[in-house]
Amino acid sequence: MTEFLAAWGAVISTLLLGMEIKRFYYEGVRLKVEVRGGYNVHPPVAPYYDKKQVMISISNKGHRSATITHVWLLTSGKTTLFCKECLTGSRKLSEGDYTQYVLEESQLKEKYGLIPRDYMAVASDAVGRKFYSHNLPVRIFKIARMRLFSKK
């Protein structure tokens, strides 16, 4: 009987530990960063008109608020493309809030040689944590592909 109670206690404590880890994960700041190209703004108003746009969307999926201070695109080199023209001060995101940043796609292609499949966005909050639009293996693959094709 004691062995059964000991096994039952181990099972229950393991389940409770899993629940605490899950609660800890969901209570923190969780920002989801997405980047997509090829957007048109309708109706075509200044300064967008009929130009294709890159949209960086950031949504807060966690239970704590966060303040976005920097947003940028990763490139193949050491340079990063800060969204200075689209970031007007810091933006606070409460639970369930989102914000969007818009860049002109043709400028990214002309100045930096970025095409839509290479877009990778990063957002940084006031504490300094970085949130990426792609996970680490995908970032490594995309940067390697950009370096390979930029040498040609």
Side-chain angles (χ1 to χ4, degrees):
M1 183 69 167
T2 20
E3 293 171 357
F4 173 75
L5 290 176
W8 181 252
V11 168
I12 294 296
S13 63
T14 304
L15 289 174
L16 290 175
L17 175 67
M19 290 171 52
E20 283 297 312
I21 291 172
K22 181 181 176 185
R23 187 176 64 85
F24 176 76
Y25 175 74
Y26 282 108
E27 278 189 4
V29 175
R30 290 191 312 132
L31 297 181
K32 182 177 181 182
V33 181
E34 296 177 323
V35 59
R36 293 191 179 120
Y39 280 96
N40 286 328
V41 177
H42 294 287
V45 294
Y48 306 116
Y49 298 111
D50 290 331
K51 300 174 184 172
K52 297 253 187 222
Q53 304 296 321
V54 175
M55 186 183 313
I56 301 171
S57 302
I58 304 169
S59 57
N60 188 355
K61 302 290 185 185
H63 293 292
R64 308 239 176 191
S65 61
T67 303
I68 304 299
T69 56
H70 297 87
V71 177
W72 66 92
L73 292 175
L74 291 176
T75 63
S76 62
K78 293 182 179 179
T79 59
T80 55
L81 306 178
F82 280 93
C83 301
K84 291 179 183 174
E85 56 274 352
C86 64
L87 182 63
T88 55
S90 57
R91 297 183 186 178
K92 185 173 183 176
L93 296 178
S94 299
E95 179 182 357
D97 285 348
Y98 74 96
T99 187
Q100 296 175 336
Y101 301 93
V102 178
L103 293 167
E104 192 175 320
E105 194 170 281
S106 62
Q107 287 181 349
L108 294 175
K109 184 168 179 129
E110 290 170 11
K111 289 183 182 178
Y112 307 103
L114 285 178
I115 55 177
R117 72 174 187 198
D118 295 332
Y119 297 151
M120 293 179 290
V122 184
S124 177
D125 67 357
V127 181
R129 292 175 291 217
K130 294 178 183 172
F131 301 90
Y132 296 89
S133 61
H134 295 80
N135 60 26
L136 183 62
V138 173
R139 287 195 311 263
I140 291 170
F141 174 74
K142 284 189 168 204
I143 289 174
R145 183 177 58 204
M146 282 190 287
R147 288 182 181 166
L148 178 69
F149 289 117
S150 67
K151 291 180 181 178
K152 288 186 177 181

